[in-house]
Amino acid sequence: MKKLSFIAWLTMKAICTCAFCITPLVSCNTKNANTFADSGRTQPTENLLANLKALGDSVGYMFGHHDDVLYGIGWVGDSARSDVKSVCGDYPALLSFDLGHLELGDTVSLDGVSFNRIREEIVRHFERGGMITLSWHLNNPLTGGTAWINDSTGEHQLNTVEAVLEGGKQHERFLTWLDRVAEFLNSLQTADGVRVPVLFRPWHEHTGSWFWWGQELCSAEQYKALWKLTTDRLKEQGVVNALYAYSPGTENGGNPQKYMERYPGDNIIDLLGLDCYCFAPSGDADAVAKYAQMLDTQLGMVCKLAKQHSKAVALTETGYEGIKTAKWWTHTLMPVLDKHPISYVLVWRNAHDKPGHFFAPYPGHSSAPDFVEFYNHPKSLFLHNVNGLYQAK
Ligand code: BMA
């Protein structure tokens, strides 16, 4: 019932504000799909950005899930399957994937999925009208280790960022890593040659010190230079379909100066994000309430900054591992999201091979009925609510 009335409402919104055209996506594919905006990016990429900015302010927030269509609880590699869809009947509006190990020239990602499959799912989701975001848990080019800092090998003492910047001893190697990412982004095309716009979100959670690009492992200037090197190189390699997201963690404690301390600049970043998780391993109500409060403070700050800088804004990663309270979706997450003009909320993956490591419900999970309520909420947008993401307003 709700979906019918909601679509009517969305249509009205489209008529009133022209924010979201309900014409099918194909019309975008055939007409000005590969025309370019002044920025040098494709027009649909710029349209996506404009629509992201408008979304939060008007209709609501898209729901996203990492690796949603690749695997879930009790399955891996099935076709057209999604735990989210199995629970509520619709795909997430936003799908997220990770490029970790692409830099090595591997054919399979750090989470065991082939990059060919990831590419196929990206194109398929674009053709369904949905949005795609990409993270990158790349290895450490200095030590050969993972993206995560290994304390026992003394990695905390090393400055890998310095080593990959110009003049550093891993600079050349790092350029080849960036070129592999560029090649992948450039390969994201439909059969008709339409480039698929994506939101790229490298160097995330840099305010913590668990990745080699983290707070205590490089200076602010080096971190900003890393961003500039990345975006310059991707552009040089012909990438015209990427938007860029900045997504610190919550370590700033709600202080906007601290949030912006390592901001690479308005000319580089398109979307201000936030990675903020609910840590309550045994379902402790106080810990859950504390998360809601922190999320509220943080989103208030990030949304204000996004307005000041004319950027899109999103909750780029969140979730409650194992979702230990059955009403978490409508009692904890939703009331906070409703207060802030974000364009999307993304929850992390449902690992098929790591028991308990899941952030979206699956059929039979105790929070599944509550997730359906969240799905039925007018402000939460799933795939069928977002036609027109790549079209001009
Ligand atoms: C982390 C965990 C890891 C995974 C990584 C990249 O948060 O989910 O198991 O390898 O993200 O997807």
Side-chain angles (χ1 to χ4, degrees), residues 66 96-100 133-137 200-202 204 348:
H66 187 71
S96 164
F97 302 98
D98 197 88
L99 302 185
T133 182
L134 301 172
S135 53
W136 190 20
H137 287 85
F200 188 35
R201 198 173 64 85
H204 66 303
W348 206 241

Side-chain angles (χ1 to χ4, degrees), residues 204-392:
H204 66 303
E205 297 173 12
H206 64 282
T207 45
S209 297
W210 46 85
F211 294 131
W212 58 257
W213 53 89
Q215 182 81 15
E216 283 160 25
L217 292 113
C218 62
S219 70
E221 288 321 306
Q222 287 167 340
Y223 177 79
K224 291 182 198 176
L226 177 65
W227 260 103
K228 183 154 171 24
L229 172 65
T230 304
T231 51
D232 282 353
R233 185 72 180 188
L234 295 183
K235 269 180 214 149
E236 275 165 36
Q237 297 298 313
V239 173
V240 289
N241 53 338
L243 300 172
Y244 297 95
Y246 176 68
S247 50
T250 58
E251 291 75 14
N252 56 67
N255 177 328
Q257 281 79 35
K258 283 203 176 137
Y259 178 95
M260 294 303 272
E261 194 181 87
R262 296 186 171 213
Y263 182 61
D266 282 344
N267 52 339
I268 289 181
I269 297 298
D270 299 297
L271 180 143
L272 298 191
L274 170 73
D275 284 17
C276 175
Y277 280 87
C278 180
F279 289 108
S282 48
D284 172 20
D286 285 350
V288 173
K290 229 170 130 188
Y291 156 79
Q293 207 172 44
M294 175 169 70
L295 186 63
D296 192 23
T297 307
Q298 290 279 334
L299 285 181
M301 174 191 66
V302 183
C303 289
K304 205 165 151 194
L305 286 166
K307 270 263 149 355
Q308 285 165 5
H309 290 258
S310 302
K311 300 295 170 188
V313 58
L315 180 49
T316 41
E317 271 188 47
T318 195
Y320 182 9
E321 188 176 34
I323 323 157
K324 304 250 165 54
T325 57
K327 295 263 179 192
W328 188 79
W329 301 100
T330 63
H331 284 48
T332 303
L333 184 65
M334 193 171 94
V336 182
L337 300 186
D338 282 356
K339 289 167 70 177
H340 303 282
I342 55 168
S343 58
Y344 75 76
V345 51
L346 177 96
V347 300
W348 206 241
R349 67 200 194 104
N350 280 12
H352 63 95
D353 54 356
K354 235 179 152 180
H357 191 57
F358 65 90
F359 298 84
Y362 53 87
H365 183 261
S366 59
S367 81
D370 189 57
F371 187 82
V372 174
E373 270 190 51
F374 173 67
Y375 164 77
N376 282 322
H377 179 54
K379 286 192 86 172
S380 69
L381 307 177
F382 287 70
L383 180 67
H384 285 97
N385 308 124
V386 296
N387 275 350
L389 272 182
Y390 303 95
Q391 292 168 352

Side-chain angles (χ1 to χ4, degrees), residues 34-299:
N34 279 343
T35 58
F36 291 88
D38 292 345
S39 62
R41 297 193 283 212
T42 66
Q43 194 56 53
T45 309
E46 291 299 338
N47 293 346
L48 174 63
L49 178 57
N51 286 329
L52 285 177
K53 287 183 190 171
L55 249 186
D57 276 336
S58 53
V59 192
Y61 41 85
M62 294 189 281
F63 178 79
H65 185 210
H66 187 71
D67 279 358
D68 181 78
V69 288
L70 300 178
Y71 51 78
I73 304 305
W75 63 276
V76 54
D78 300 19
S79 127
R81 191 163 172 186
S82 144
D83 281 350
V84 167
K85 185 165 180 269
S86 299
V87 167
C88 71
D90 198 2
Y91 288 108
L94 171 74
L95 296 188
S96 164
F97 302 98
D98 197 88
L99 302 185
H101 289 188
L102 183 75
E103 71 280 0
L104 306 175
D106 288 4
T107 54
V108 169
S109 82
L110 83 165
D111 293 320
V113 185
S114 94
F115 287 112
N116 283 339
R117 175 78 199 275
I118 292 177
R119 183 187 298 104
E120 270 168 37
E121 292 298 345
I122 289 172
V123 174
R124 189 168 293 140
H125 197 61
F126 169 70
E127 287 178 326
R128 290 181 192 123
M131 176 181 161
I132 297 95
T133 182
L134 301 172
S135 53
W136 190 20
H137 287 85
L138 70 164
N139 270 12
N140 185 324
L142 189 59
T143 64
T146 68
W148 289 266
I149 289 299
N150 184 343
D151 278 330
S152 63
T153 59
E155 280 187 358
H156 252 120
Q157 315 302 317
L158 299 173
N159 188 332
T160 303
V161 174
E162 184 177 41
V164 303
L165 295 176
E166 215 174 322
K169 58 181 177 205
Q170 295 300 335
H171 181 62
E172 291 305 319
R173 178 191 214 187
F174 185 62
L175 292 183
T176 66
W177 287 17
L178 288 174
D179 290 354
R180 287 185 176 126
V181 170
E183 198 186 336
F184 184 80
L185 297 177
N186 287 336
S187 76
L188 300 176
Q189 300 189 16
T190 66
D192 298 343
V194 177
R195 303 242 192 174
V196 178
V198 294
L199 176 70
F200 188 35
R201 198 173 64 85
W203 318 130
H204 66 303
E205 297 173 12
H206 64 282
T207 45
S209 297
W210 46 85
F211 294 131
W212 58 257
W213 53 89
Q215 182 81 15
E216 283 160 25
L217 292 113
C218 62
S219 70
E221 288 321 306
Q222 287 167 340
Y223 177 79
K224 291 182 198 176
L226 177 65
W227 260 103
K228 183 154 171 24
L229 172 65
T230 304
T231 51
D232 282 353
R233 185 72 180 188
L234 295 183
K235 269 180 214 149
E236 275 165 36
Q237 297 298 313
V239 173
V240 289
N241 53 338
L243 300 172
Y244 297 95
Y246 176 68
S247 50
T250 58
E251 291 75 14
N252 56 67
N255 177 328
Q257 281 79 35
K258 283 203 176 137
Y259 178 95
M260 294 303 272
E261 194 181 87
R262 296 186 171 213
Y263 182 61
D266 282 344
N267 52 339
I268 289 181
I269 297 298
D270 299 297
L271 180 143
L272 298 191
L274 170 73
D275 284 17
C276 175
Y277 280 87
C278 180
F279 289 108
S282 48
D284 172 20
D286 285 350
V288 173
K290 229 170 130 188
Y291 156 79
Q293 207 172 44
M294 175 169 70
L295 186 63
D296 192 23
T297 307
Q298 290 279 334
L299 285 181

